[in-house]
Amino acid sequence: MLLLRCFMCLSLFFLKVSNAMIDASHPALIKNAFNIIEVTEDNYPIISQGVDGYYNILFLTMRSKNSNNYNCQICVDFEPIYRKVAAAVRDQAPHSKVLFFMADVNEVPSLVHDLKLKNVPHVVSYSPPNANSDFSWSKSPLYHYQLSNQSVKD
């Protein structure tokens, strides 16, 4: 519950407007029923450059077993919480400048390489890029929250 409240506060805080590479009407930003944009190998190069006026909150997960037959139970446990937070922001603060993204590391190897990921899950948040910056998820400052068994239970 504490984690859910933290995400809500964080999401509602991010209402600032700035310049970025694409705008919120870009076709790569199709949201699912939970208000989450699924990151794929195809849309990653576009959306990782930032979205005009929007904070980006990215959940890095692993839904299926990897090549070593490893399954991420923390990822599975946290995903419903992340979906509820994204849907709550959509319902309770529909004009907030926050976009929620979810990326399965097995499906987006470019993201894994660019972020130099060694483990999952993670939740990262990026401020909107400003006009004078060279923004991308792989190079820009971020706020990071590494999930653990205990944090998923909070």
Side-chain angles (χ1 to χ4, degrees):
M1 189 53 94
L2 176 63
L3 186 59
L4 181 61
R5 280 185 265 148
C6 289
F7 265 103
M8 287 299 298
C9 291
L10 178 69
S11 299
L12 295 176
F13 172 76
F14 296 142
L15 299 173
K16 180 176 145 182
V17 176
S18 68
N19 296 319
M21 297 295 181
I22 63 175
D23 65 37
S25 65
H26 195 282
L29 301 175
I30 297 171
K31 298 175 185 174
N32 66 19
F34 298 100
N35 195 39
I36 298 171
I37 300 161
E38 296 285 339
V39 180
T40 65
E41 195 65 24
D42 291 335
N43 69 12
Y44 169 66
I46 298 165
I47 62 178
S48 67
Q49 299 305 306
V51 179
D52 188 21
Y54 287 80
Y55 280 80
N56 292 205
I57 300 176
L58 172 62
F59 174 39
L60 299 159
T61 186
M62 185 171 66
R63 293 185 189 126
S64 58
K65 292 183 179 182
N66 67 9
S67 58
N68 296 327
N69 207 28
Y70 173 76
N71 186 12
C72 176
Q73 189 57 47
I74 299 170
C75 298
V76 172
D77 293 344
F78 183 72
E79 187 170 332
I81 296 167
Y82 187 73
R83 287 180 177 183
K84 287 177 186 177
V85 171
V89 169
R90 176 200 58 216
D91 297 342
Q92 297 174 25
H95 301 294
S96 63
K97 300 289 186 178
V98 179
L99 293 172
F100 291 88
F101 298 89
M102 188 179 315
D104 186 317
V105 296
N106 290 328
E107 297 173 13
V108 192
S110 297
L111 181 135
V112 173
H113 177 264
D114 290 351
L115 295 181
K116 299 174 179 63
L117 291 175
K118 301 291 184 210
N119 55 40
V120 290
H122 296 280
V123 176
V124 295
S125 175
Y126 296 92
S127 299
N130 64 47
N132 301 324
S133 70
D134 183 23
F135 180 90
S136 76
W137 285 352
S138 63
K139 297 186 284 186
S140 298
L142 55 94
Y143 301 97
H144 170 257
Y145 187 78
Q146 185 170 355
L147 297 167
S148 65
N149 284 327
Q150 184 57 42
S151 65
V152 170
K153 295 175 186 173
D154 285 345

